[in-house]
């Protein structure tokens, strides 16, 4: 069965939005608007899966939800043409997650590497929510029967789980799905969109570590709120090696820091890495970094300024989220009706 093409993706409001979030996700969200109907969600229910001191408490959470919303709009997402909202305002996400809890298998979740990383050694003390995180993520996507999900490379395994859940639901309830006129499958097997030179942006201090909001060193990442001076300082201080840049991509293979900076440049410039090396191959890092600072500042500083401007108008942001939630809810409610019928629950 052909499903209506639709893009869904989410970003957690856990503070410190950085260049990895921008190049791996948000910049792609913006580009996909031209081709698809898109739904972009601030996944606040995911943010509370880690302890309160990590997400900063209720006041910080509210600020962070608004900040991610402002970042979406500042980066170029149009909340009138597409849907921008926060997850907790549409209760169908949590409701479908429960049904999927009864479809997903313990063995599948036990394999999730991100849970292992985030729970660390003290696994007994992790929240059930952290363990169940990927099931809620599958519900986020499938409650809109989304066909495409742009994400960074670190979300690949979660999207495989989403497909497994969709497939098992379709199989377990195959006769009910057919009887109710939905054909052979009710949920699509969603395609991840993980492409381009910056699907995994690395730390500016260590090219073998992912750029992350939880790194204690602020010099490890460029935050979306950084101004031109901060961006320039961080790029200039970024770790490099003593060799000039290679002329071919193969020359980046054992040079993680060089590879990362070239990938960042390529993604910001919308050019392939090979082309960037065609221009800068043989150049010293000092020359390349000057060009990278100019490019990064020209692309990111206007977003930071716009985020700040939009961020001051909380009434506007809250109205975007309320309106987006209404529109998202209308789609999600249709899915929940069908799902309840398929499963055999009695509804009003
Ligand atoms: P979050 O908030 O941790 O990350 C948001 C997006 O940023 C990408 N990302 C990166 N991409 C490249 N390099 C990096 N260093 C980097 N760091 C983060 C992430 O891959 C992600 O695309 N689980 C999701 C949130 C979520 C979601 C969903 C996504 C919840 N439900 C449904 C898609 C569909 C997450 O990790 O968000």
């Amino acid at each position: 069965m052909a499903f209506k093409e639709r893009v869904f993706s989410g970003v957690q409001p856990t503070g410190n939005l950085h260049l990895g979030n921008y190049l791996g996700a948000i910049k792609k969200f913006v580009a996909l608007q031209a081709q698809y109907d898109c739904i972009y969600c601030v996944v606040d229910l995911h943010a509370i899966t880690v302890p309160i001191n990590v997400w900063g408490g209720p006041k910080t959470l509210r600020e962070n939800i608004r900040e991610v919303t402002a970042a979406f709009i500042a980066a170029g997402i149009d909340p009138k043409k597409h849907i921008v909202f926060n997850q907790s305002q549409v209760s169908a996400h949590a409701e479908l997650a429960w049904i999927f809890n009864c479809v997903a298998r313990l063995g599948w979740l036990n394999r999730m590497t991100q849970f292992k990383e985030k729970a660390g050694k003290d696994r007994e003390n992790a929240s059930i929510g952290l363990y169940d995180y990927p099931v809620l993520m599958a519900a986020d996507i499938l409650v809109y029967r989304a066909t495409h999900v742009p994400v960074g490379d670190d979300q690949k395994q979660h999207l495989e789980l989403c497909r497994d859940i969709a497939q098992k639901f379709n199989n377990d309830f195959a006769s009910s799905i057919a009887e109710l006129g939905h054909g052979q499958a009710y949920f699509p097997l969603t395609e991840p969109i993980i492409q381009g030179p910056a699907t995994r942006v690395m730390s500016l201090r260590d090219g073998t570590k992912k750029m992350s909001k939880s790194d204690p060193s602020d010099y490890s990442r460029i935050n979306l709120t950084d101004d031109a001076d901060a961006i320039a300082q961080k790029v200039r201080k970024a770790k490099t090696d003593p060799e000039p840049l290679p002329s071919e991509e193969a020359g980046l293979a054992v040079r993680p820091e060089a590879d990362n900076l070239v990938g960042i440049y390529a993604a910001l410039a919308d050019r392939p890495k090979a082309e960037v090396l065609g221009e800068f191959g043989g150049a010293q890092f000092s020359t390349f970094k000057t060009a990278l600072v100019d490019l990064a500042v020209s692309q990111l500083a206007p977003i930071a300024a716009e985020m700040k401007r939009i961020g001051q108008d909380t009434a506007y942001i809250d109205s975007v989220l309320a309106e987006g939630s209404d529109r998202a809810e209308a789609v999600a409610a249709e899915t929940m009706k069908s799902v309840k019928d398929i499963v055999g629950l009695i509804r009003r």
Side-chain angles (χ1 to χ4, degrees), residues 167-286:
Q167 179 117 53
K168 188 166 188 322
F169 183 94
N170 290 339
N171 288 345
D172 287 357
F173 297 103
S175 49
S176 181
I177 289 169
E179 267 165 36
L180 289 162
H182 299 297
Q184 296 202 323
Y186 182 68
F187 287 118
L189 302 185
T190 306
E191 294 285 339
I193 302 181
I194 307 176
Q195 286 158 359
T199 57
R200 192 174 175 81
V201 177
M202 307 308 271
S203 157
L204 299 180
R205 308 300 294 160
D206 177 352
T208 63
K209 262 173 52 186
K210 197 177 68 173
M211 184 178 284
S212 108
K213 55 186 107 190
S214 56
D215 194 311
S217 166
D218 201 49
Y219 276 92
S220 70
R221 64 182 163 262
I222 293 175
N223 299 306
L224 280 193
T225 48
D226 283 346
D227 61 16
D229 284 348
I231 295 171
Q233 263 194 21
K234 288 175 179 183
V235 171
R236 284 202 199 99
K237 284 203 177 200
K239 189 177 166 198
T240 51
D241 58 45
E243 302 295 318
L245 282 165
S247 308
E248 314 256 325
E249 254 189 285
L252 294 172
V254 287
R255 299 176 62 187
E257 282 83 17
D259 189 20
N260 190 39
L261 293 181
V262 171
I264 290 171
Y265 189 101
L268 283 170
D270 285 319
R271 289 166 64 186
K273 279 206 269 192
E275 206 180 296
V276 175
L277 290 177
E279 185 179 341
F280 290 98
Q284 297 298 327
F285 272 106
S286 51

Side-chain angles (χ1 to χ4, degrees), residues 8-14 17-26 29 43 46 87 114 118 133 136-138 140-141 149-155 158-159 198-202 210-213:
F8 179 92
S9 198
V11 173
Q12 294 193 72
T14 34
L17 278 178
H18 54 71
L19 188 63
N21 301 128
Y22 179 64
L23 295 178
I26 299 172
F29 300 178
V43 289
H46 278 109
Q87 188 186 28
Q114 199 158 79
K118 284 196 184 171
Y133 180 115
L136 178 59
M137 187 166 156
D140 296 339
I141 296 164
V149 176
V151 281
D153 177 70
D154 59 348
Q155 296 303 306
H158 289 160
L159 289 178
T199 57
R200 192 174 175 81
V201 177
M202 307 308 271
K210 197 177 68 173
M211 184 178 284
S212 108
K213 55 186 107 190

